[in-house]
């Protein structure tokens, strides 16, 4: 899956483009963990294709109550990435940014060190 390849550092545009196309076409089949992991993976590899994030963020926004605190922490980092990458666009998750941030920083299951590092860098950028 996208998360496994992003974690392994396999991130060619052609490869992730094929994953993005397949994921967008099957988004209705994704559970909350698959949605969170997929958008997190695309943020980790620096994906810059606007439409994929809009599609995923819309699906996530409609089902936000289904996500665990850990998944919401991933979504917060995705939302920060999207905000930095596309500063002039209001994404569906943007309206949930504060509640996602609160979950990320206050829940009992702390974000990973990598998530914390990425979050700090993204917050510094904007």
């Amino acid at each position: 899956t996208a998360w496994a390849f992003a974690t392994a550092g396999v991130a060619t545009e052609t490869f992730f483009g094929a994953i993005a196309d397949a994921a967008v076409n099957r988004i209705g089949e994704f559970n909350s963990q698959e949605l969170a992991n997929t958008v997190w993976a695309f943020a980790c590899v620096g994906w810059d294709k606007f439409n994929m994030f809009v599609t995923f963020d819309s699906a996530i926004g409609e089902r936000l109550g289904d996500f665990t605190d850990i998944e919401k922490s991933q979504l917060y980092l995705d939302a920060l990435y999207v905000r930095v990458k596309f500063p002039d666009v209001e994404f569906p998750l943007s309206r949930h940014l504060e509640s996602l941030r609160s979950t990320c920083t206050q829940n009992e299951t702390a974000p990973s060190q990598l998530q914390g590092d990425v979050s700090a860098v993204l917050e510094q950028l904007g």
Side-chain angles (χ1 to χ4, degrees):
T1 63
W3 179 85
F5 287 106
T7 302
V10 178
T12 68
E13 185 170 340
T14 302
F15 183 71
F16 266 80
I19 292 174
D21 290 344
V24 165
N25 289 331
R26 298 180 65 187
I27 198 166
E29 300 171 27
F30 283 48
N31 63 35
S32 60
Q33 181 180 6
E34 292 164 338
L35 286 168
N37 286 350
T38 300
V39 295
W40 172 242
F42 278 89
C44 284
V45 301
W47 194 250
D48 62 356
K49 306 299 185 253
F50 172 83
N51 290 337
M52 196 272 320
F53 284 107
V54 169
T55 301
F56 268 83
D57 282 7
S58 294
I60 289 165
E62 293 170 5
R63 299 173 41 195
L64 197 55
D66 296 343
F67 289 81
T68 68
D69 285 351
I70 292 171
E71 293 162 352
K72 286 179 181 177
S73 293
Q74 287 178 294
L75 295 177
Y76 173 62
L77 297 176
D78 166 57
L80 287 177
Y81 171 78
V82 167
R83 192 170 117 195
V84 169
K85 193 70 169 175
F86 308 100
D88 299 326
V89 179
E90 183 73 18
F91 276 82
L93 281 183
S94 298
R95 64 179 169 261
H96 302 288
L97 195 59
E98 184 56 34
S99 67
L100 293 172
R101 184 197 65 76
S102 178
T103 299
C104 185
T105 59
Q106 296 179 9
N107 67 45
E108 294 179 21
T109 54
S112 70
Q113 180 65 43
L114 175 61
Q115 288 173 324
D117 293 346
V118 170
S119 178
V121 169
L122 289 173
E123 284 182 333
Q124 288 175 356
L125 292 173

